Amino acid sequence: MIDKTKLAERIRQIAGLSDDEKSSLLALLNEQKRYGLVWEDKAEEVEKQLQDELPVLIEVADKRLPVVDGAPNHVLIEGDNLHALTCLSYTHEGAIDVIYIDPPYNTGKKDFFYNDSYVDKDDSFRHSKWLSFMSKRLRIARRLLSDEGVIFISIDDKEQAALKLLCDEVFGRDKFVTCVPRITKLQRSAQEKHMDVSHDYLLCYSIKDDFAHITEREFDESSVKRDNVGFYLEGDTKAILADKSKGYSAGGDYDFEYNGKIYSPVDKNGVRNRWLWKRERMEAAAKLGILVETANSLRMQLYLDVKFDDKTNTMVPKNANLIFHTSDFMIDNRFSNSTGSTELKDVGTDLFARFNNPKPLAFIKSLLLLQGKDNAKVLDFFAGSGTTLHAVMQQNAADGGQRQCILVTNNENGICENVTYKRNRRVIQGYTNAKGDKVEGLTNNNLRYYRTGYVPRERTQRNMRALVNASTDLLCIQNNLYTEQDFTIDGKKVRKDIARWFGGMLIIYREEFAEEIANEIAKMDLGGEKLKVYIFSPGRYAFDDTFEDVQDKVELVALPAAIYDAYKRVLPKRKEKTFEEEAKEDIPTTLF
């Protein structure tokens, strides 16, 4: 077997090779894996664009809504998610607590769009294209996750195995938590005779090795109820009636009386089904008062740490800790796509006409609870219909949280403007549902809409100034500061092309006026808080000597160096021009 370390050293010592040639050979050597996925990298047009241009974010001000002081600021980005993730690599590196994505499943049925065309099932590079596409985005996503960050990814059988290997490589096999099946459609009678795929999967990886924030969590008494049985989520229930397709047993076939009403395990078609529990267990549950009556059946409050003691016919806590079991959450018809479809139609049938198979709100909210932080920064860069933001706002309303959500989606067929944005605008402002009932808006939320823009990547003085001038929205997102105030010197407003002030953040576009600005800061009472000052500089010099007298009042950042540094870690390498290409550019095109 070849010793790769020794071979790498020999490559470095070969005379006659340039440094670039040696680097290329070493890269090829390192690509040879002993275990894991191997695929042919397929360059995307959006990736090639990044060789010559740098992405920025530009706010669409007329889509901003509303502006509530102290409310969470949510962000919707319209654009290719590779470009948006590049922007977020500067604004949110190491800051995202929860990522949920529902990427294209690569079924070959026009669900995976690659380089301006759909990838069909007969494409010989179908799986390589998909892995290449996912790898580029997941590697940036890894950089965004905080020390307690978690990523959840929905996927089906087509790419589940490949995605697991890819995620092992990107996030680390030791960071893998679980792969949980999720019901995607309600059970059908045809399943009695044929194999009917009615599930997909949820892959989960956690940056924190002990997973404590995933599997175990303390609760406020306001959000969790407790009785002599244990802990349960108020209003959350679990089915205790099984249909015939799940297996019939005489022990579960009986009529049961509860609160003076007879409940029978018979469906609307007269088919005799069964209770999941025997009569003794049902009676124990009834005695404790934990059965919930629905229109046609009974459900049980969904307990998080309860078990049934067969010896005493009583419900008892499993242990002293409050544990979330993923199987309690995912394998349930509440999380089916039909539920998500009903919810989207409820907000507007015009939305559902443009988007199929949205995820249900309860599914996303359960993931937020699994991660635990009620002020988590949440990211979904395959945003689709915008369920993730809708769920974040609902969960904040339920538990008083301050979670912030970033959504990213392109505007193919108008989806970003006409589905993602419209849905969440209605949720914030209020709407009339499918039944004609008025649904009050979740008004304690701010939503800002951005599109990706671009500046040339080549580092000329003109391009560097253009990047700094276009970086204002990036800096507002990074610092969660959006309210602009007039910046004055000696009572006169400073021109906005020279400096702009956003409370705890000052952006100086023209470094020539640094001394006058420093003198003004010396007069300010900042209440002990440091003012973050971004200043244009051709290099890494942030004019520290100019601000020396106020160094205890400011935190200086040189731009665009800070942005270049972040982007360099994720951008594709620029293709250097050959001598012949440069020579051709110098050839005159006309004689006169």
Side-chain angles (χ1 to χ4, degrees):
M1 183 175 291
I2 297 175
D3 187 326
K4 293 176 69 173
T5 303
K6 291 182 179 179
L7 182 56
E9 186 59 33
R10 290 186 63 184
I11 291 173
R12 294 188 185 96
Q13 295 173 0
I14 296 176
L17 292 181
S18 68
D19 288 342
D20 286 343
E21 288 170 331
K22 290 178 182 178
S23 295
S24 297
L25 286 174
L26 289 170
L28 286 172
L29 178 64
N30 290 330
E31 284 180 2
Q32 303 305 310
K33 299 178 183 177
R34 294 183 180 179
Y35 171 78
L37 285 172
V38 177
W39 71 88
E40 183 171 339
D41 185 55
K42 310 298 291 185
E44 300 173 60
E45 293 302 322
V46 293
E47 182 185 14
K48 293 176 183 177
Q49 184 180 353
L50 295 179
Q51 293 181 349
D52 299 313
E53 296 182 306
L54 299 178
V56 292
L57 298 178
I58 302 170
E59 186 180 9
V60 183
D62 61 0
K63 292 185 182 294
R64 182 190 309 161
L65 56 101
V67 178
V68 180
D69 290 339
N73 292 302
H74 308 297
V75 169
L76 171 57
I77 302 172
E78 174 195 317
D80 184 87
N81 56 14
L82 185 61
H83 295 172
L85 285 167
T86 301
C87 293
L88 295 176
S89 73
Y90 172 63
T91 64
H92 281 76
E93 183 171 10
I96 299 295
D97 300 300
V98 181
I99 296 177
Y100 170 74
I101 55 172
D102 183 17
Y105 285 5
N106 199 19
T107 63
K109 297 178 180 179
K110 292 189 176 182
D111 66 322
F112 177 33
F113 199 71
Y114 192 90
N115 285 355
D116 300 325
S117 62
Y118 285 108
V119 178
D120 63 39
K121 59 183 177 59
D122 297 321
D123 190 322
S124 58
F125 288 103
R126 170 182 157 197
H127 298 289
S128 280
K129 288 178 178 178
W130 190 85
L131 285 167
S132 178
F133 171 88
M134 291 298 297
S135 175
K136 293 176 177 67
R137 288 152 179 81
L138 290 177
R139 291 181 191 282
I140 302 178
R142 172 63 182 87
R143 306 189 72 91
L144 302 182
L145 286 171
S146 68
D147 291 340
E148 291 193 348
V150 186
I151 183 168
F152 301 101
I153 310 175
S154 286
I155 196 66
D156 74 355
D157 290 303
K158 304 291 189 304
E159 298 288 3
Q160 183 272 335
L163 181 62
K164 170 64 168 60
L165 287 174
L166 176 62
C167 288
D168 283 350
E169 183 178 300
V170 173
F171 301 103
R173 294 179 69 187
D174 59 324
K175 308 299 184 186
F176 174 65
V177 180
T178 188
C179 179
V180 187
R182 177 187 71 98
I183 295 292
T184 57
K185 56 187 177 183
L186 301 179
Q187 303 296 302
R188 301 184 298 181
S189 58
Q191 291 175 310
E192 296 182 29
K193 299 179 180 179
H194 308 287
M195 184 175 290
D196 186 16
V197 178
S198 59
H199 67 278
D200 62 10
Y201 304 95
L202 185 78
L203 274 176
C204 175
Y205 285 77
S206 169
I207 302 306
K208 190 173 181 180
D209 290 336
D210 62 10
F211 312 141
H213 57 306
I214 304 296
T215 59
E216 187 172 334
R217 178 187 168 211
E218 291 299 326
F219 277 99
D220 235 353
E221 289 296 326
S222 61
S223 62
V224 171
K225 304 302 176 184
R226 181 197 306 258
D227 60 16
N228 59 333
V229 180
F231 301 91
Y232 65 91
L233 295 178
E234 186 176 27
D236 211 356
T237 58
K238 190 172 185 179
I240 54 176
L241 179 68
D243 60 39
K244 190 175 181 181
S245 65
K246 291 185 177 178
Y248 178 80
S249 69
D253 184 357
Y254 54 87
D255 293 340
F256 188 76
E257 183 176 354
Y258 187 70
N259 285 345
K261 184 177 179 180
I262 302 297
Y263 289 91
S264 176
V266 177
D267 66 17
K268 60 184 179 181
N269 298 317
V271 176
R272 196 83 187 176
N273 296 309
R274 66 179 177 88
W275 299 108
L276 290 176
W277 296 339
K278 293 182 179 180
R279 187 182 294 274
E280 292 80 9
R281 185 175 296 194
M282 286 284 280
E283 290 173 348
K287 186 176 181 180
L288 289 169
I290 64 173
L291 295 181
V292 178
E293 296 177 280
T294 63
N296 301 308
S297 186
L298 294 174
R299 296 178 72 86
M300 184 197 79
Q301 291 167 343
L302 179 52
Y303 280 82
L304 304 178
D305 65 347
V306 67
K307 66 179 180 179
F308 184 78
D309 188 332
D310 290 302
K311 295 181 180 179
T312 60
N313 283 339
T314 59
M315 301 284 187
V316 296
K318 288 181 179 176
N319 49 51
N321 296 321
L322 180 58
I323 305 294
F324 275 109
H325 295 281
T326 51
S327 60
D328 289 339
F329 286 88
M330 304 307 152
I331 308 173
D332 192 302
N333 283 341
R334 291 176 303 155
F335 300 130
S336 69
N337 290 342
S338 62
T339 300
S341 296
T342 299
E343 291 167 344
L344 185 57
K345 288 177 183 177
D346 203 50
V347 181
T349 54
D350 59 321
L351 307 179
F352 181 73
R354 289 174 171 265
F355 191 88
N356 295 323
N357 297 322
K359 295 296 184 287
L361 289 164
F363 173 60
I364 305 300
K365 287 191 287 187
S366 72
L367 303 183
L368 298 175
L369 290 174
L370 284 172
Q371 197 277 341
K373 291 177 65 175
D374 63 4
N375 64 343
K377 290 183 173 65
V378 182
L379 169 64
D380 181 348
F381 53 90
F382 289 95
S385 70
T387 303
T388 299
L389 175 54
H390 190 170
V392 165
M393 292 190 290
Q394 278 196 353
Q395 192 56 48
N396 280 347
D399 61 16
Q402 286 284 307
R403 300 171 185 85
Q404 292 177 296
C405 185
I406 301 173
L407 297 181
V408 181
T409 187
N410 60 31
N411 202 33
E412 180 189 343
N413 298 322
I415 186 174
C416 189
E417 290 184 289
N418 297 316
V419 180
T420 322
Y421 175 71
K422 279 187 177 180
R423 174 186 190 167
N424 286 288
R425 183 183 67 189
R426 292 173 187 174
V427 170
I428 292 173
Q429 295 179 338
Y431 59 95
T432 301
N433 66 18
K435 296 179 180 178
D437 299 326
K438 176 68 176 177
V439 177
E440 294 299 322
L442 300 178
T443 55
N444 191 42
N445 292 279
N446 298 320
L447 177 60
R448 295 172 184 269
Y449 191 111
Y450 296 85
R451 290 192 178 107
T452 46
Y454 306 91
V455 297
R457 182 169 171 177
E458 188 177 3
R459 292 198 193 189
T460 65
Q461 183 86 352
R462 180 189 297 271
N463 292 344
M464 286 192 288
R465 285 205 183 275
L467 178 57
V468 173
N469 291 339
S471 68
T472 304
D473 286 325
L474 285 175
L475 300 175
C476 288
I477 293 171
Q478 182 186 54
N479 293 280
N480 194 32
L481 292 170
Y482 298 93
T483 303
E484 185 172 9
Q485 302 164 300
D486 290 329
F487 183 64
T488 61
I489 294 181
D490 296 331
K492 298 179 181 179
K493 293 181 183 178
V494 174
R495 286 167 38 185
K496 292 187 184 298
D497 61 337
I498 292 175
R500 295 176 70 180
W501 186 24
F502 295 83
M505 173 178 70
L506 179 66
I507 309 170
I508 303 174
Y509 305 99
R510 299 302 312 191
E511 71 282 10
E512 298 92 340
F513 299 94
E515 186 172 350
E516 291 93 326
I517 292 172
N519 291 337
E520 184 63 26
I521 293 174
K523 305 173 189 176
M524 293 181 179
D525 180 5
L526 300 175
E529 297 292 328
K530 280 200 171 186
L531 177 66
K532 199 158 190 180
V533 178
Y534 296 90
I535 185 167
F536 174 82
S537 173
R540 299 182 179 276
Y541 169 58
F543 296 84
D544 303 75
D545 52 349
T546 304
F547 289 86
E548 184 176 3
D549 291 342
V550 292
Q551 60 181 334
D552 60 329
K553 301 176 73 172
V554 300
E555 178 186 343
L556 297 170
V557 180
L559 291 182
I563 299 175
Y564 282 135
D565 287 347
Y567 280 13
K568 184 179 179 180
R569 293 191 284 268
V570 301
L571 285 173
K573 290 183 179 179
R574 296 197 70 197
K575 182 181 179 182
E576 301 297 333
K577 293 179 181 178
T578 65
F579 176 82
E580 290 77 10
E581 288 172 332
E582 290 184 348
K584 286 180 181 179
E585 292 178 354
D586 294 332
I587 298 174
T589 56
T590 61
L591 181 61
F592 302 103

